[in-house]
Amino acid sequence: MTEQSTVLILLQVFCDRKEESFCETEKSSAEQKLFFGKKIKFRHILIEKHYVEKSMLNYIWAVMILLGIVYAACTGQMEAVTNAALDSAGEAISLCLTMAGVMALWMGLMEIAQKAGLIQKMTRGISPFLQFMFPRIPREHPALGYIATNIIANVMGLGWACTPAGLKAMEALAQLEAERGNTAYNSEDAPAANRVASNEMCTFLILNISSLQLIPVNMIAYRSQYGSADPACIIAPAIIATLISTVAAILYCKAKEHSKWRY
Amino acid sequence: MEILTHVSDIIIPLIIFFVVGYGMVSGIKVYETFLKGAKDGLKVVVDIIPTLVGLMVAVGILRASGFFDMLGSLLGPFTELLGLPAQLIPLLIVKMFSSSAATGLVLDIFKTSGPDSYAGMLTSILMSCTETIFYTMSVYFLAAKVTKTRYTLAGALFSTLVGTVASVILAGMMV
């Protein structure tokens, strides 16, 4: 097992595939015992059954609360902690009220853009860029369509549309590998550990993670809630920063694609 | 940077004008469509209320206990050499794993330093140009059943690093 695959398994254990699942601890506690009882089988269960119920957020959340209370007990800040816990809970609700307005406005506009065919038009509009980034994907392959949808959804801040399109894109890229005669991708029963990411998969994910975004809607809502004089003033610098990180990602992928070193 | 602020100020009205205008020209019922989308937007917010309550309480406890101040005075002298306020270190790490946990920390920075301070600006820009690396990688590669991810992690970390440096420079120009 190579270093990368071990890293990935660790990630799969810890990452919050279901970010909201930290309220579902009861359901997964039985599965947790199974995990710790059979440490070796654990990895295979994970890969083969898509098992990522246990989330990173469980640990982050618990550690923050436990650490905070223990530290407060040591420094004599228990009263402040009591107030902070109660105040923060109330504050979360007032924040949601501000966010509700901004989100409703943005999603309303995006619905118009969607219905009017604007989003689809943009999706088609980036196909020259996709052909530059993914020269080896045949033009009519469905993977290109899913990748385009994912990128545009990212750019327009349509969180709900990104992930499904992204997952479909990954499946289509796996299919493409099978069509190319990559044996690890040929049958569903092949041991999953043998699947090596294709260049296209790496490029797609790095692009995705570099996160091109036009309007950081959430950030603007948070800023206005905490009394910013000009909540939207971050739009231009944010666009520049996101462009720079995406260009860095493109250069990195192109350099890797042309290097002979395959792993 | 006046021009950056100016561009920021006109972008939202421009988008609204363009989208509504485009909708009118294509002959759809813009108002009804807007209402439907707005309703979905509200549902999204309602869904994240429990998450926000949980995480803001956790960060609030940690802040009130004095732990962040201790961490800040410990790390501050080193990180400030790089232009990063010490408050941002936990944020940068947490953001790689979970965007909702990062949100809790972002709000804490806005509350304690203000969104228009250097730390607030840097946080705003940084959060707009980074993505939860490990979360995205695990979910996406799982969909293709791939375990050997080759250079993806290195590339993702590289682009995040470049984005961070760019954010530090831009935030310095804005304040």
Side-chain angles (χ1 to χ4, degrees):
Chain A
M1 202 167 271
T2 66
E3 210 177 292
Q4 283 107 324
S5 68
T6 321
V7 168
L8 186 70
I9 288 165
L10 279 175
L11 306 181
Q12 287 166 351
V13 181
F14 287 118
C15 287
D16 42 357
R17 175 141 187 248
K18 285 190 171 175
E19 295 224 20
E20 62 276 35
S21 76
F22 73 100
C23 45
E24 293 179 1
T25 30
E26 271 180 39
K27 206 172 108 189
S28 55
S29 63
E31 289 144 15
Q32 207 184 333
K33 275 175 209 151
L34 179 88
F35 284 168
F36 289 119
K38 299 178 180 177
K39 265 192 177 169
I40 304 161
K41 272 201 168 178
F42 182 18
R43 293 176 169 177
H44 299 283
I45 296 173
L46 260 176
I47 301 164
E48 285 166 22
K49 293 192 176 172
H50 294 203
Y51 232 122
V52 201
E53 284 288 315
K54 203 75 194 102
S55 75
M56 182 72 192
L57 212 46
N58 274 313
Y59 298 104
I60 298 182
W61 192 67
V63 166
M64 284 200 289
I65 288 188
L66 301 180
L67 185 70
I69 293 178
V70 169
Y71 193 81
C74 297
T75 54
Q77 296 287 329
M78 286 306 249
E79 197 195 333
V81 165
T82 307
N83 291 334
L86 299 175
D87 290 349
S88 306
E91 218 173 290
I93 301 298
S94 49
L95 174 70
C96 284
L97 284 179
T98 312
M99 264 189 70
V102 178
M103 281 302 279
L105 170 64
W106 185 252
M107 297 294 274
L109 285 173
M110 285 304 115
E111 187 76 23
I112 298 179
Q114 186 108 2
K115 274 268 163 62
L118 198 57
I119 301 283
Q120 293 87 321
K121 211 173 179 182
M122 290 171 75
T123 307
R124 279 196 300 271
I126 61 167
S127 72
F129 169 69
L130 292 187
Q131 259 142 41
F132 166 72
M133 285 310 294
F134 304 97
R136 288 177 59 236
I137 302 182
R139 282 195 175 205
E140 334 62 57
H141 201 276
L144 281 177
Y146 291 128
I147 293 174
T149 311
N150 174 270
I151 291 178
I152 293 299
N154 250 327
V155 169
M156 301 311 285
L158 301 166
W160 48 269
C162 302
T163 314
L167 299 184
K168 279 279 174 202
M170 289 302 280
E171 281 166 18
L173 288 175
Q175 182 61 36
L176 179 66
E177 280 304 293
E179 285 162 21
R180 282 172 180 166
N182 185 333
T183 46
Y185 286 88
N186 268 341
S187 88
E188 279 295 309
D189 312 321
N194 290 339
R195 288 194 175 181
V196 177
S198 63
N199 278 347
E200 284 81 7
M201 290 178 186
C202 296
T203 304
F204 172 54
L205 265 184
I206 295 173
L207 264 188
N208 189 300
I209 290 170
S210 81
S211 129
L212 258 183
Q213 193 180 14
L214 185 59
I215 308 286
V217 186
N218 289 345
M219 276 306 136
I220 295 174
Y222 301 152
R223 288 169 58 78
S224 80
Q225 172 72 18
Y226 285 100
S228 168
D230 187 0
C233 73
I234 53 145
I235 295 178
I239 291 177
I240 297 175
T242 199
L243 273 179
I244 292 176
S245 75
T246 301
V247 168
I250 293 173
L251 293 177
Y252 188 94
C253 294
K254 284 285 162 198
K256 274 289 178 188
E257 226 169 78
H258 290 117
S259 80
K260 283 174 189 155
W261 189 61
R262 200 164 145 72
Y263 292 95
Chain B
M1 285 299 279
E2 296 242 321
I3 178 123
L4 288 187
T5 318
H6 190 64
V7 170
S8 300
D9 287 342
I10 61 170
I11 267 185
I12 288 183
L14 270 183
I15 291 180
I16 296 179
F17 182 86
F18 184 68
V19 168
V20 175
Y22 192 92
M24 283 289 283
V25 172
S26 354
I28 61 161
K29 291 178 179 161
V30 277
Y31 184 60
E32 273 97 332
T33 313
F34 175 84
L35 293 185
K36 187 186 170 290
K39 203 171 171 186
D40 291 340
L42 287 182
K43 280 189 201 137
V44 172
V45 176
V46 170
D47 283 346
I48 63 166
I49 290 179
T51 317
L52 267 185
V53 172
L55 288 162
M56 285 184 75
V57 167
V59 175
I61 289 176
L62 210 50
R63 147 79 41 216
S65 74
F67 184 78
F68 282 155
D69 298 328
M70 187 271 287
L71 206 65
S73 56
L74 219 69
L75 294 173
F78 302 103
T79 59
E80 254 137 55
L81 290 175
L82 304 167
L84 282 174
Q87 297 159 286
L88 266 87
I89 303 299
L91 176 63
L92 279 175
I93 298 167
V94 167
K95 172 76 187 181
M96 290 189 201
F97 297 95
S98 159
S99 62
S100 42
T103 303
L105 295 170
V106 166
L107 298 173
D108 185 65
I109 293 173
F110 285 173
K111 207 185 335 172
T112 51
S113 309
D116 294 331
S117 66
Y118 173 68
M121 280 291 184
L122 181 52
T123 306
S124 313
I125 300 173
L126 206 53
M127 285 303 107
S128 317
C129 76
T130 53
E131 182 61 69
T132 33
I133 299 181
F134 295 134
Y135 169 69
T136 311
M137 273 182 67
S138 67
V139 175
Y140 279 43
F141 274 126
L142 217 51
K145 299 194 191 120
V146 166
T147 48
K148 290 175 183 140
T149 65
R150 296 170 65 211
Y151 55 83
T152 311
L153 182 59
L157 286 172
F158 174 69
S159 102
T160 302
L161 179 71
V162 172
T164 307
V165 172
S167 303
V168 168
I169 296 170
L170 285 159
M173 285 159 65
M174 293 293 292
V175 180

